Structures are given as structure tokens and as C-alpha cells.
Amino acid sequence: QGISSQSQFSIKMNAKAFRVLSDTLYQNKIGSIVREISCNAIDSHIASGKRDVPFTVHLPDRFEPWFSVIDYGVGLSREQVRKIYTTYFESTKDESNDMVGAFGLGSKTPFSYTDAFTVTSIYNGERTTYSAFIAQNGMPTIAEINTVPSSDVNGVEIQVPVADSDIYIFAKEVREQLRFFKVKPNFVNGSVEWLTLPTDNIYKSDFCEIYNSSYNSAFNGVWITQGQVGYPLDYNQVYNALHKIDFTVADFYSQISRFSTVLNFAIGDIEVTASREGIQYTAYTVNSIKTNLEKV
């Protein structure tokens, strides 16, 4: 018997759906804000040919209680700001393996922490400031505050208010989330002491680095980097998956897990969760890891 009718599933965007996508999606809200906004800054620099130019981070304290990221990339027009901040899963990067972002969710991460934050875009001679906020109906909204002429280079600043109790946590998350960034940001209003890999190198190539681990190393175990973002691997999930398809590779993985190991991947080689807080241990991801380990 044939199919008489069919209907596509859809998502109705309302306050409840918004809360799922911008709040409950993230386990580490502050870390996700730091990571996603900083990755957007990197992407903007890549798009504008400024891959080696550092962006700027403002660290919060009690006198200046906000976290901000300033990039010097392409900037955003009014139309782009409205489209990016009012459309979930809207991304200009999902077809590019040069760009870190892809899901169209990262720019909204501040809503997981606060009901309002500020977006300032310098674009083609104008500086325009916007307020992104949660309206009374529970929906995210963005409103233009003012526009003034500007001679500064194009770029975007995202500014997030920070509670006194979270000042230290923002600095800590900058240190944690950006540890693998090749070009570290410049700082205003403070700085962080970066986490560094051990100096005793056992093996190093473009796709893998192995170091003798130390008792208190923040890099013990096996890490994956993709798009300059680092993820610690779940040993059991990877070992068990590899063991099913190649015992020799699984055994080798077990051996290097005793050290500080970093496996480097191109963007798109590893599947991550929608929140981008962790790895999806799919067959595709495991096969990418297997291929990397076979090279080593």
C-alpha cells in the first residue's frame, strides 16, 4: 500500500525552544561563552586575511565587571547582525573547513549566562552598538542603540556583564579554553598565565605530539585539537571503539595515554556535540582517530 500523504517535521521557535538552545544546551556556560566568542573572533580574522593578528580580551574585575572579545576582522553590517543574532542554526561557516564555527549557535552563548549583552560592530566607517536581550515574552531580541562615524578598522566587540562571584571563573576559563590557540589574544585589564605543554618531547609531527607527562600536568592523557580548540578524550570510549576494529591501534592508544599526547586534526575530521563542549564518538570520529594513530 502506497504512502497517501507526508509532512515534514519542523521546529516552532518559542521561549521554551530558545531556553533549550541557549541555556540547557551548555554544561559549562562561562567556558562556552569564552570559547565560542573567541572562536568567532578567530574566524573573522581568517576571513579578513589576518590569521596571525591577535584579538583582544577584556578580563572582568570589580571596577570593570565585564568580559569582552574584540576582533579586527570583517565587521558586521546591520543586515548581518540581525540575521546572525535572530536566527538559530544560521551560519556562514558550515561549508568552510577554514572556519571553526558551523552550527550558528556560538554567537548566542551569552544568553546562557545573562539576559542582556552588547554587540558593537565597526563596519565600513560606522560604529553601531546593539543591545541583545531577552524580551518579556522570553524571546531573544536585538535592538540598535546608536551609530556614529568611525575611522577604526572593521571588527566586532561582544561585551558580557559579569557577576562579582564569577570574575575569577572567567579568567580561569580563558586559560583553559584558549590553551591550544596558536595566536593568543592580547589583554586589557589583566592577564592570565597560560597552560603549557611539558618540555620533554618524545615525538612530534604536524598531526601528533607526545610528551613525557608530569604529576600535575594539565595535559596528561590524550587530547584532540580541531580548529585550535582542545578536547580531552574519554579513554574508555576511544579504547573500546578502537579495540573492536583494530586491536593493534587500540593497544598503541593505550600506551600513549600514559603520556601527554595531542592529536591534531583538520576542521571537519572530528564530529563534536552541538554545544561544542565535547567530542561525538561516532564511527566517523573513531575512524579519523584510527587513521591518525596509524600514521604515528
Side-chain angles (χ1 to χ4, degrees):
Q1 187 174 358
I3 298 173
S4 59
S5 64
Q6 61 183 10
S7 299
Q8 286 188 325
F9 283 68
S10 63
I11 297 175
K12 182 176 181 179
M13 195 59 189
N14 52 31
K16 185 182 294 184
F18 155 71
R19 184 172 179 274
V20 170
L21 293 175
S22 290
D23 187 354
T24 61
L25 182 67
Y26 301 101
Q27 297 183 46
N28 180 356
K29 300 181 192 310
I30 292 175
S32 294
I33 291 168
V34 170
R35 180 187 63 254
E36 296 304 312
I37 296 178
S38 297
C39 285
N40 284 346
I42 286 180
D43 286 343
S44 184
H45 281 201
I46 291 172
S48 62
K50 298 179 179 178
R51 189 183 295 267
D52 297 325
V53 176
F55 58 92
T56 300
V57 167
H58 177 284
L59 292 173
D61 61 20
R62 287 202 169 101
F63 299 100
E64 297 181 0
W66 70 84
F67 170 78
S68 75
V69 170
I70 305 170
D71 72 60
Y72 310 99
V74 295
L76 294 172
S77 67
R78 286 181 173 85
E79 294 74 19
Q80 288 172 317
V81 168
R82 293 190 186 98
K83 190 173 185 180
I84 288 171
Y85 285 94
T86 61
T87 310
Y88 281 70
F89 298 104
E90 173 66 34
S91 176
T92 60
K93 310 169 188 177
D94 52 3
E95 298 300 324
S96 171
N97 281 344
D98 289 328
M99 303 292 187
V100 182
F103 293 117
L105 299 174
S107 59
K108 292 85 169 176
T109 49
F111 282 133
S112 69
Y113 176 80
T114 181
D115 285 346
F117 62 98
T118 303
V119 179
T120 301
S121 176
I122 300 173
Y123 185 76
N124 294 351
E126 290 186 335
R127 177 190 295 268
T128 305
T129 302
Y130 306 84
S131 175
F133 60 95
I134 307 300
Q136 289 185 343
N137 63 358
M139 293 292 291
T141 305
I142 192 158
E144 183 176 327
I145 297 175
N146 72 320
T147 300
V148 295
S150 176
S151 59
D152 293 336
V153 298
N154 285 0
V156 173
E157 177 181 8
I158 309 298
Q159 187 178 116
V160 181
V162 174
D164 284 352
S165 58
D166 293 330
I167 287 171
Y168 167 78
I169 299 175
F170 268 88
K172 172 180 173 291
E173 290 297 337
V174 167
R175 184 171 177 255
E176 294 281 343
Q177 299 292 332
L178 310 188
R179 66 172 75 185
F180 287 105
F181 275 33
K182 294 175 182 177
V183 179
K184 298 293 195 293
N186 292 326
F187 289 98
V188 293
N189 201 49
S191 63
V192 302
E193 183 178 348
W194 293 109
L195 298 168
T196 57
L197 284 159
T199 56
D200 188 2
N201 177 257
I202 297 172
Y203 172 87
K204 190 169 186 178
S205 68
D206 290 340
F207 48 85
C208 178
E209 304 164 49
I210 304 176
Y211 303 85
N212 265 324
S213 58
S214 58
Y215 174 73
N216 61 350
S217 173
F219 294 90
N220 284 346
V222 181
W223 291 72
I224 272 181
T225 69
Q226 180 175 247
Q228 304 186 49
V229 177
Y231 301 97
L233 283 181
D234 183 316
Y235 172 82
N236 288 326
Q237 289 211 57
V238 175
Y239 178 80
N240 291 338
L242 288 173
H243 192 274
K244 292 177 181 177
I245 57 177
D246 193 317
F247 177 81
T248 302
V249 174
D251 183 62
F252 180 66
Y253 173 77
S254 180
Q255 295 298 320
I256 65 173
S257 297
R258 298 185 290 114
F259 302 95
S260 294
T261 300
V262 182
L263 303 175
N264 300 312
F265 292 88
I267 295 173
D269 284 350
I270 298 295
E271 294 181 319
V272 298
T273 61
S275 66
R276 301 202 328 137
E277 291 180 291
I279 299 294
Q280 288 194 66
Y281 296 95
T282 61
Y284 179 84
T285 293
V286 172
N287 189 63
S288 292
I289 294 172
K290 174 179 174 290
T291 301
N292 188 312
L293 294 179
E294 285 173 337
K295 292 180 184 177
V296 182

